[in-house]
Amino acid sequence: MDDLIYKIFEVFKKNKLFDEGVELIGSYSFLLYQKYLGAPQFPFRTPDIDFLIPNPFKGKEHFGFIDELIALGFQKDFRRNGSIFLYNAELLIEFITPEKGKGVDEAIAVKKLGLRAIPLRFVSLLLDNPMTIIDNGIAILVPNPAYFSDRGQKGSFKAICESA
């Protein structure tokens, strides 16, 4: 992973967000699975880095957190639903949270982080039994890779992770 990604992770580490339940999800978590758990190499990587925030978020207040990311050279913008995202020429940072109940058309406020996150159905599963991978001295919380198995077939990602 490049230096910018590690700088983003450093902001999360400084604010103890991985300790408070925020997870790295999406293609960047798969890079960690590949590097440390022997997951198969996938050539596909999205140009965004996604962070899953528990709903409700029970961590401490981190109102300057977004400003710290902006200081890395990101711009802040809003989607039509009110969610925020950060971007630069290379990367998009998105914040996702589980959608509950009947669903909503608007972003969900995460007041303690000073942001509004994209509500998505079924991502709450990723918050169950997460694991920590230490990369470049940073303890990064990621979803349990067993959730991405292909039903335990020999040589599957699940089998690789269970043998690790």
Side-chain angles (χ1 to χ4, degrees):
M1 287 192 240
D2 62 27
D3 288 342
L4 179 59
I5 300 300
Y6 287 116
K7 288 177 183 177
I8 294 167
F9 291 163
E10 283 289 344
V11 170
F12 277 71
K13 176 184 175 182
K14 178 183 169 210
N15 285 278
K16 300 183 181 190
L17 294 175
F18 294 126
D19 297 331
E20 294 178 351
V22 175
E23 292 182 22
L24 171 68
I25 63 171
S27 62
Y28 280 90
S29 65
F30 277 89
L31 289 175
L32 294 176
Y33 298 153
Q34 292 166 12
K35 186 174 180 181
Y36 293 100
L37 302 177
Q41 296 293 315
F42 299 106
F44 178 71
R45 182 171 56 170
T46 60
D48 64 332
I49 185 166
D50 302 310
F51 294 97
L52 180 59
I53 303 168
N55 180 12
F57 177 69
K58 296 180 180 176
K60 296 180 181 178
E61 293 180 351
H62 302 281
F63 293 124
F65 157 70
I66 295 297
D67 292 332
E68 292 178 48
L69 294 171
I70 290 170
L72 296 177
F74 287 93
Q75 301 291 317
K76 179 178 169 181
D77 206 346
F78 299 87
R79 298 203 187 289
R80 188 176 295 172
N81 69 356
S83 64
I84 74 155
F85 64 95
L86 304 172
Y87 69 94
N88 67 14
E90 303 170 38
L91 192 62
L92 177 72
I93 302 174
E94 294 184 300
F95 303 98
I96 297 166
T97 196
E99 183 177 46
K100 296 181 176 183
K102 293 181 181 180
V104 294
D105 293 329
E106 299 177 354
I108 296 175
V110 184
K111 293 178 183 176
K112 291 182 177 182
L113 297 180
L115 61 84
R116 295 181 62 81
I118 301 165
L120 288 180
R121 288 227 176 263
F122 309 115
V123 294
S124 59
L125 173 72
L126 301 178
L127 294 167
D128 293 340
N129 195 26
M131 68 179 297
T132 299
I133 295 178
I134 299 174
D135 187 42
N136 206 30
I138 301 170
I140 303 164
L141 195 64
V142 295
N144 189 317
Y147 292 123
F148 304 104
S149 76
D150 56 1
R151 305 199 197 307
Q153 295 175 9
K154 186 176 181 180
S156 71
F157 186 32
K158 180 179 180 184
I160 291 168
C161 292
E162 288 175 345
S163 67

